[in-house]
Amino acid sequence: MRRRFVHLVANHVIPCRRAYKLHLIDPSRFFYPTRPSSGSADDGSPMEEFQLPPAAMTFYGPSEQGHLGSLDFMPLGQSCKKGIIGVDLKCRTIHCDAAALAVSTMPEAHAAKSQPISVPVGDGVYVLQRNPVPYEDDECVFEALIHGRGPESRCSPDWYWRPLPPPPFALDPSYGFGKDFSNLIDGHTLVGGHHIWVSAGDAGTYSFSTVAGTWSKVANWAMPFSGRAEYIPELNTSLGFSSQDNQLCASDLAAASSFDPPKLLGKWEDVAQPKDWIPVMSSLVPLGSGKLFIAKFFETREKRYMKDDFFYSNSKNILVFTGVELERAGGKINMWKHKSMRYTIDGMRLHWVI
């Protein structure tokens, strides 16, 4: 495995302030020494309980006033090779090297992002607001944190935020973007090493070239993924979670055309979830050699009826970690499921698995 650990950042509830605790998960714990012979190690027995390791670091929000104290975390560089960054709603940026347990400051972003999506490219990261419609003419909804000679670099290369143009559909007044939550950007991924693809409702799929710095339309169809998909070089395909049922799936995006949507090369049940588990968030972390670390966050709610209506109460949050392994044989992709462990969350809410 090329990853020593996976970053888990959770928002813990403390009086009057937001605290984000960074836990470092060893992904090797979720793999057997050899592949399960049946394709899955799940024998129907209860899932093993997992205990989170102690937090390696704690980050506090910049303000005690509601949402102003929030932070967004994202990978810096592909496979987090440059660590992770956190950005608050005042645009201030911090860099965390978890391996060295070190924190450093970074330049301020040009504008705060509401529910941002992030795509690591090379050593940097591209950040786009999920609703990319600028509220003001000069608002920056898309930018990249990259290392090089920026506009303020004097001598040696340094990190800087580069403002980028929003996707064309966000500037089209006839589209009515932002009025319907179904039109928010959902599926997104890196294709061919330097093209960022995003899918957004009726707008279809667009591509941003990180080399030319321009947008182009791919097609009217949407990618079959929800959230960020990852290209897996060992499989020569992209993996993500299906926008239909949240299951792990594979698709060769490079083989699609404007008239021929990407086809699924496989879909697998990565986590066996009871019917009363409500999916909240899913994350996929490539580990190398065809191995993947999957984290899924669920809620369970007990219904209590009151007269003609009902309300939810006694909700429980459950986090499930799973190790899976995939291999391509000819035109078929085979999946082996290793270990699954669950963690019942108390007093915190999961935000990022990077």
Side-chain angles (χ1 to χ4, degrees):
M1 296 183 189
R2 64 171 178 253
R3 293 285 297 267
R4 288 174 47 202
F5 47 76
V6 173
H7 309 81
L8 183 151
V9 183
N11 184 357
H12 287 250
V13 178
I14 62 173
C16 302
R17 201 167 189 183
R18 295 193 182 193
Y20 298 88
K21 292 185 179 290
L22 170 63
H23 302 265
L24 303 180
I25 310 297
D26 178 5
S28 66
R29 293 189 56 183
F30 302 90
F31 290 87
Y32 294 106
T34 59
R35 293 173 178 169
S37 58
S38 63
S40 173
D42 186 3
D43 58 2
S45 58
M47 200 177 298
E48 181 182 346
E49 288 285 341
F50 176 76
Q51 293 298 318
L52 286 180
M57 289 185 179
T58 300
F59 304 90
Y60 292 100
S63 171
E64 299 180 5
Q65 300 177 9
H67 72 283
L68 293 178
S70 65
L71 285 163
D72 282 301
F73 291 85
M74 55 201 74
L76 184 60
Q78 291 172 278
S79 301
C80 284
K81 60 184 176 181
K82 294 296 182 180
I84 63 174
I85 61 170
V87 185
D88 67 20
L89 290 180
K90 296 181 181 179
C91 306
R92 293 173 296 200
T93 307
I94 56 171
H95 169 248
C96 173
D97 181 348
L101 295 180
V103 174
S104 58
T105 60
M106 285 281 204
E108 288 188 2
H110 288 88
K113 307 289 185 293
S114 175
Q115 296 182 317
I117 64 170
S118 61
V119 179
V121 180
D123 290 342
V125 62
Y126 286 68
V127 185
L128 174 64
Q129 192 163 276
R130 192 173 296 273
N131 179 348
V133 177
Y135 291 105
E136 299 178 1
D137 291 340
D138 59 347
E139 182 183 5
C140 180
V141 298
F142 184 32
E143 53 189 309
L145 180 60
I146 55 181
H147 191 268
R149 293 189 180 277
E152 298 182 3
S153 298
R154 295 182 179 179
C155 298
S156 60
D158 199 358
W159 292 100
Y160 70 98
W161 285 97
R162 176 188 174 192
L164 300 167
F169 59 82
L171 304 177
D172 183 357
S174 66
Y175 182 63
F177 194 89
K179 296 179 180 178
D180 186 344
F181 285 113
S182 66
N183 285 331
L184 297 177
I185 292 175
D186 188 11
H188 53 283
T189 191
L190 183 66
V191 178
H194 59 270
H195 287 95
I196 298 173
W197 285 19
V198 299
S199 293
D202 297 333
T205 298
Y206 279 75
S207 172
F208 178 80
S209 170
T210 61
V211 176
T214 57
W215 287 94
S216 61
K217 185 162 187 177
V218 177
N220 290 323
W221 43 256
M223 289 182 287
F225 305 115
S226 178
R228 187 170 70 217
E230 300 280 358
Y231 175 73
I232 310 299
E234 301 91 342
L235 305 175
N236 192 29
T237 193
S238 296
L239 290 175
F241 298 105
S242 169
S243 56
Q244 301 297 318
D245 56 14
N246 196 41
Q247 295 292 353
L248 180 67
C249 65
S251 181
D252 185 0
L253 299 178
S257 69
S258 58
F259 302 103
D260 189 16
K263 297 179 176 59
L264 289 184
L265 302 179
K267 184 190 288 189
W268 307 271
E269 183 185 67
D270 49 277
V271 174
Q273 63 183 69
K275 293 182 178 179
D276 61 339
W277 286 17
I278 303 169
V280 176
M281 190 189 79
S282 299
S283 297
L284 172 69
V285 179
L287 303 174
S289 303
K291 293 182 177 179
L292 309 171
F293 177 85
I294 293 173
K296 289 194 170 182
F297 179 45
F298 302 94
E299 286 185 355
T300 63
R301 294 169 180 169
E302 176 186 334
K303 293 181 180 179
R304 292 184 178 180
Y305 289 84
M306 296 180 61
K307 296 182 180 180
D308 298 329
D309 206 350
F310 65 89
F311 64 90
Y312 292 111
S313 64
N314 297 336
S315 65
K316 183 185 296 184
N317 299 323
I318 298 172
L319 176 61
V320 178
F321 297 128
T322 303
V324 302
E325 184 177 359
L326 297 99
E327 183 181 69
R328 189 162 193 163
K332 183 180 179 182
I333 298 178
N334 300 309
M335 191 271 275
W336 291 268
K337 183 175 170 183
H338 287 251
K339 299 180 184 178
S340 284
M341 301 185 193
R342 59 177 283 176
Y343 173 72
T344 302
I345 300 173
D346 183 24
M348 75 174 198
R349 188 172 182 86
L350 177 68
H351 276 261
W352 300 271
V353 177
I354 307 170

